[in-house]
Amino acid sequence: MTAYAAIDVYDFDSPQQEAQYRGLIEELRCPKCQNQNLAASDAPIAQDLKQKTFDLIKDGRSDGEIRDYMQERYGDFISYKPPVRPSTWILWFFPPLLLIVLIIGWFWQSKRRQVVARGQKDVIVDSTAEPLTPAEQAELDRLLSRAENVDHDITSPEDKK
């Protein structure tokens, strides 16, 4: 069985018109396929939009006029590069703002971890503190030596038998 493929054959007056057509169908998105441009889509609506693009080019319309026509009819979704306006601010500004917030959070978290690792969390250093007295130093040494001699083995005496 022979397979037939649909091939777009348009007769342009000049190579500039053909280049304009190719550029536009690469830039405009298929309303049905959503993540394919008109050039890659075989959907009936894409075929209609290709034909309309060809007709508008033959009428002498500019790229901007054709984009405006398509956006007026199909909304901002038709373009991979929607215009900057209040309805599209979230598309343009949310990703960079989210990235900035995440970077600030990462720096804050890493700084906080450094402070905790150094043992300086909520510690106020009193530079006027006096050194330990000999009795206090002896008591501290006794407590530290006792802590070093403590058996840190968590197994019970019955388990050791």
Side-chain angles (χ1 to χ4, degrees):
M1 181 176 241
T2 306
Y4 294 96
I7 299 174
D8 296 333
V9 180
Y10 295 110
D11 187 26
F12 294 98
D13 295 336
S14 69
Q16 290 82 12
Q17 283 184 342
E18 185 175 358
Q20 181 184 13
Y21 173 78
R22 298 275 175 227
L24 285 168
I25 66 170
E26 290 287 331
E27 181 182 322
L28 297 174
R29 185 189 326 234
C30 175
K32 182 177 182 182
C33 304
Q34 296 186 4
N35 276 338
Q36 282 186 328
N37 58 19
L38 293 179
S41 177
D42 289 330
I45 186 78
Q47 298 299 326
D48 292 344
L49 289 173
K50 288 179 201 178
Q51 181 63 47
K52 188 62 178 177
T53 303
F54 172 75
D55 293 341
L56 291 171
I57 289 172
K58 290 294 270 187
D59 287 344
R61 303 277 180 94
S62 69
D63 286 359
E65 290 173 328
I66 295 171
R67 280 188 209 98
D68 291 343
Y69 171 83
M70 295 294 187
Q71 284 179 342
E72 182 180 310
R73 185 152 185 181
Y74 297 99
D76 290 333
F77 180 79
I78 195 81
S79 176
Y80 280 112
K81 301 174 194 167
V84 179
R85 60 173 78 144
S87 63
T88 60
W89 282 355
I90 195 164
L91 295 173
W92 287 103
F93 302 118
F94 182 71
L97 287 175
L98 180 62
L99 179 64
I100 290 169
V101 167
L102 290 174
I103 289 172
I104 290 171
W106 179 75
F107 277 120
W108 179 77
Q109 185 74 0
S110 65
K111 184 69 171 169
R112 200 184 78 162
R113 284 185 185 153
Q114 288 175 356
V115 169
V116 169
R118 282 190 241 132
Q120 296 175 351
K121 183 178 182 186
D122 299 329
V123 174
I124 299 172
V125 177
D126 184 9
S127 61
T128 62
E130 296 177 15
L132 296 176
T133 64
E136 292 171 334
Q137 186 65 45
E139 178 67 17
L140 179 62
D141 291 339
R142 185 183 65 77
L143 290 172
L144 289 174
S145 67
R146 220 170 95 191
E148 289 174 359
N149 294 332
V150 172
D151 185 16
H152 294 289
D153 191 5
I154 60 170
T155 56
S156 65
E158 291 82 28
D159 290 339
K160 290 182 181 179
K161 291 180 183 177

